Amino acid sequence: AQRVTQPEKLLSVFKGAPVELKCNYSYSGSPELFWYVQYSRQRLQLLLRHISRESIKGFTADLNKGETSFHLKKPFAQEEDSAMYYCALSLPFGNEKLTFGTGTRLTIIP
Amino acid sequence: DVKVTQSSRYLVKRTGEKVFLECVQDMDHENMFWYRQDPGLGLRLIYFSYDVKMKEKGDIPEGYSVSREKKERFSLILESASTNQTSMYLCASSPAPIPRLWNQPQHFGDGTRLSIL
């Protein structure tokens, strides 16, 4: 079965420093990868997905099939980036189920 | 904007009670999902439904059942609540995937924090 691993439960970064939230997955085929974010007192929402290849709020993520990773990166952290981040995977071609990682709580230190 | 509404933000029930959690979406989405969210465990899928009266088990269905009589409404039922079902419950919906292409992102409700005493 597919699996998503987020090795860091907690991550603290100074404002203005680069951010990298790690995500590794186990699946032999070509999955779809997502990052979801939950800000304090807000609902869980999609941040970005690998097929869109776009930058959202300064975040990017590249699917590395060789390393089976989908790390989330931002060059300069901002205080409003403090949140809970979940990496998620779905199987392609109509399998709508999402498998989530355990999440990383990111705290930006002013 | 997609609206997924969960009927209660907080709920307190007693062990052995039958508990209903309700979820309604207003975007005519085909798919609906129930997750529980626990610290250190992330989100785990309990059940999902891809059409009216259709349901499939997720990863942790034991102790739960679901009902989808109308497209916009998906109910989670705890048949006999137990203390280990104390958790945050999240409902989500998504449109059907684009045929032979990509899945659609899921849209989440605010969650119901359920405490079983």
Side-chain angles (χ1 to χ4, degrees), chain A residues 3-7 21-27 33 35 64 67-71 87 89 101:
Chain A
R3 188 182 178 94
V4 177
T5 302
Q6 292 179 252
L21 286 82
K22 292 185 167 52
C23 173
N24 289 90
Y25 66 90
S26 61
Y27 178 64
L33 275 297
W35 276 100
N64 186 323
E67 296 183 358
T68 59
S69 68
F70 188 57
H71 302 327
C87 183
L89 171 155

Side-chain angles (χ1 to χ4, degrees), chain B residues 38-85:
Chain B
D38 298 289
L41 297 177
L43 276 76
R44 293 178 292 167
L45 181 64
I46 304 171
Y47 267 97
F48 71 102
S49 168
Y50 51 88
D51 202 352
V52 176
K53 297 191 185 296
M54 306 298 286
K55 62 184 179 184
E56 285 200 24
K57 293 180 180 179
D59 300 316
I60 51 164
E62 297 78 19
Y64 302 95
S65 63
V66 290
S67 172
R68 192 161 181 208
E69 297 295 320
K70 294 185 178 181
K71 191 174 184 180
E72 67 270 17
R73 186 179 297 270
F74 192 36
S75 303
L76 179 69
I77 304 155
L78 285 66
E79 298 291 343
S80 177
S82 64
T83 54
N84 62 11
Q85 292 178 310

Side-chain angles (χ1 to χ4, degrees), chain B:
Chain B
D1 198 18
V2 177
K3 187 73 173 176
V4 179
T5 303
Q6 294 183 230
S7 54
S8 305
R9 291 297 301 272
Y10 301 94
L11 205 54
V12 180
K13 296 291 182 180
R14 295 206 174 275
T15 304
E17 280 192 71
K18 190 169 186 175
V19 181
F20 294 85
L21 302 184
E22 306 287 345
C23 176
V24 176
Q25 50 95 3
D26 66 356
M27 284 300 292
D28 202 37
H29 285 171
E30 285 75 14
N31 303 320
M32 296 189 75
F33 307 83
W34 275 107
Y35 296 88
R36 60 179 286 175
Q37 182 183 28
D38 298 289
L41 297 177
L43 276 76
R44 293 178 292 167
L45 181 64
I46 304 171
Y47 267 97
F48 71 102
S49 168
Y50 51 88
D51 202 352
V52 176
K53 297 191 185 296
M54 306 298 286
K55 62 184 179 184
E56 285 200 24
K57 293 180 180 179
D59 300 316
I60 51 164
E62 297 78 19
Y64 302 95
S65 63
V66 290
S67 172
R68 192 161 181 208
E69 297 295 320
K70 294 185 178 181
K71 191 174 184 180
E72 67 270 17
R73 186 179 297 270
F74 192 36
S75 303
L76 179 69
I77 304 155
L78 285 66
E79 298 291 343
S80 177
S82 64
T83 54
N84 62 11
Q85 292 178 310
T86 291
S87 185
M88 172 68 87
Y89 290 87
L90 297 182
C91 176
S93 72
S94 69
I98 300 169
R100 304 183 67 79
L101 288 175
W102 305 108
N103 292 324
Q104 300 294 317
Q106 294 182 17
H107 301 264
F108 286 83
D110 287 324
T112 295
R113 186 165 294 281
L114 175 64
S115 297
I116 307 296
L117 304 178

Side-chain angles (χ1 to χ4, degrees), chain A residues 79-100:
Chain A
E79 288 185 63
E80 54 266 33
D81 296 330
S82 293
M84 191 73 174
Y85 291 81
Y86 292 98
C87 183
L89 171 155
S90 71
L91 303 184
F93 306 124
N95 188 323
E96 299 94 329
K97 287 171 54 176
L98 277 176
T99 298
F100 282 86

